Amino acid sequence: AGFFTKVQDALQAAQPGDVIEVRPGTYREEIKTVRSGLPGKPITIRGKPGAQIVAKNTYDGRLFSIYHNYINVSVN
């Protein structure tokens, strides 16, 4: 585990069973999954409790693309 300034960098490093906690803020990036989790060991992306997260993309309008299995996304 480590600290990343971009959600995409955290996804690049994430392995099955990992949890990516996103801090409050504005993220100007396209976020794409890079690998699948496993049954019982999903890759989870979640906002920290009480966090407001704003994702903005200046490219094609896509903010988040899920191309793999066993990916959880949650907002607390």
Side-chain angles (χ1 to χ4, degrees):
F3 176 79
F4 300 92
T5 57
K6 293 184 177 185
V7 177
Q8 187 62 44
D9 291 345
L11 272 172
Q12 287 290 131
Q15 297 297 317
D18 285 350
V19 176
I20 298 167
E21 281 197 333
V22 181
R23 295 178 179 200
T26 300
Y27 297 86
R28 296 182 187 278
E29 61 181 301
E30 183 176 352
I31 301 166
K32 296 189 261 185
T33 60
V34 296
R35 71 183 52 79
S36 294
L38 296 171
K41 294 178 85 176
I43 295 172
T44 300
I45 304 161
R46 69 176 179 215
K48 293 190 93 158
Q52 282 191 326
I53 300 164
V54 178
K56 294 185 176 181
N57 186 319
T58 57
Y59 306 109
D60 64 3
R62 278 189 194 173
L63 297 176
F64 200 104
S65 301
I66 299 175
Y67 297 113
H68 299 83
N69 298 313
Y70 303 104
I71 304 290
N72 290 337
V73 179
S74 67
V75 181
N76 295 325

